[in-house]
Amino acid sequence: MISRKMAGGILLGFLAVAGIVTGSQGSVTVYAAEELQGSGTAEDPYVITGSEDLWKFAEIVKASSDRNECAKVADGVTEIDTTVRGEKKDLTWNPIGDSSGSYKGVFDGNGAEITIHADRSINNNAGLFGILGSGGEIRNVTTAGSSKGWDSVGGICGQACSDAKIVNCNNKADITAQGGQAGGLAGYASSAQIESDTSISNTGAVTGTANVGGLVGQASGGMKVIVHEGILNSGAITAKSSGY
């Protein structure tokens, strides 16, 4: 015979496996890594099929101590709008990787356009990714929408540091830095590499008080740019001093 207490424990265990944990305040949905296809390694990256998956991936990375999880947008997915998640709309995106831990994995957008509304007006490091750290790599993504912050604001990432790579990426998002370091791809890049098999383009307006550019707002530490067909900028650049 199973006691009421034991039965409750069994039920709680079942709910935990299902991704739902109950407490005195009701139920809380937990986005477990198992909900995404793949294991998050470079050989078997998480598969992103839409906005919900991308939000889950961001939550998984934020909860990770290493922040080196890898993901790839699924074949055939051409657009992802992070301002919509289920029935929720007009959402503000939380950049992946921040001052508490930079992103060190590989994210492959597989040619998709990702719309964000990143608004960190009183904080730094705004973009699809906040800080891209050592070993971190963003590939095959076009960002759209808007990205706002104080310093280090870009479409792809706020900062790219320590041998990080941005490969085959473009930006359509409007970029605004209340302070400085605003760029179409990255607000600030140090010892990082930006490369493309073809060309790199920025069509979003980029605005800041200093260190503003269509590609990168401010570069240091031997940043490398390797592009086979040139860099194209048609977005308005507004600043007191220019970037690169």
Side-chain angles (χ1 to χ4, degrees):
M1 182 175 181
I2 300 175
S3 67
R4 181 177 299 178
K5 183 176 181 180
M6 184 181 297
I10 293 172
L11 177 60
L12 182 59
F14 171 78
L15 292 174
V17 171
I20 301 174
V21 177
T22 61
S24 59
Q25 301 301 317
S27 63
V28 177
T29 301
V30 177
Y31 296 111
E34 289 76 13
E35 293 185 29
L36 294 179
Q37 181 183 345
S39 59
T41 64
E43 297 76 19
D44 184 31
Y46 291 126
V47 178
I48 307 299
T49 62
S51 176
E52 179 66 23
D53 286 350
L54 190 53
W55 275 98
K56 289 177 183 177
F57 175 67
E59 290 162 356
I60 290 169
V61 173
K62 186 174 181 62
S64 166
S65 58
D66 297 326
R67 299 198 173 183
N68 61 357
E69 292 76 12
C70 300
K72 181 178 180 179
V73 173
D75 292 342
V77 176
T78 59
E79 295 182 348
I80 296 176
D81 185 353
T82 66
T83 67
V84 178
R85 185 179 186 183
E87 296 181 354
K88 298 179 180 179
K89 299 180 180 180
D90 301 321
L91 297 177
T92 299
W93 175 250
N94 296 317
I96 301 172
D98 53 29
S99 57
S100 66
S102 60
Y103 178 68
K104 303 179 182 69
V106 177
F107 181 87
D108 188 346
N110 202 11
E113 179 176 298
I114 299 178
T115 298
I116 61 172
H117 173 57
D119 190 349
R120 296 173 57 83
S121 296
I122 60 173
N123 295 299
N124 302 332
N125 308 315
L128 177 61
F129 290 78
I131 302 177
L132 188 59
S134 179
E137 185 173 323
I138 312 301
R139 307 178 61 89
N140 308 316
V141 178
T142 295
T143 41
S146 63
S147 182
K148 300 178 182 179
W150 188 258
D151 286 329
S152 300
V153 184
I156 300 299
C157 65
Q159 288 191 48
C161 307
S162 305
D163 301 318
K165 289 185 178 182
I166 299 174
V167 182
N168 297 334
C169 292
N170 302 289
N171 177 64
K172 296 180 179 179
D174 290 334
I175 310 299
T176 304
Q178 302 295 331
Q181 300 174 340
L185 267 62
Y188 176 73
S190 175
S191 302
Q193 182 166 304
I194 297 176
E195 60 182 88
S196 175
D197 297 334
T198 55
S199 61
I200 298 173
S201 69
N202 172 67
T203 58
V206 185
T207 305
T209 58
N211 298 313
V212 179
L215 180 64
V216 174
Q218 182 177 3
S220 66
M223 185 195 81
K224 297 179 181 179
V225 178
I226 303 172
V227 182
H228 292 275
E229 297 180 13
I231 300 171
L232 308 174
N233 178 72
S234 60
I237 307 298
T238 305
K240 294 179 180 178
S241 63
S242 61
Y244 297 88

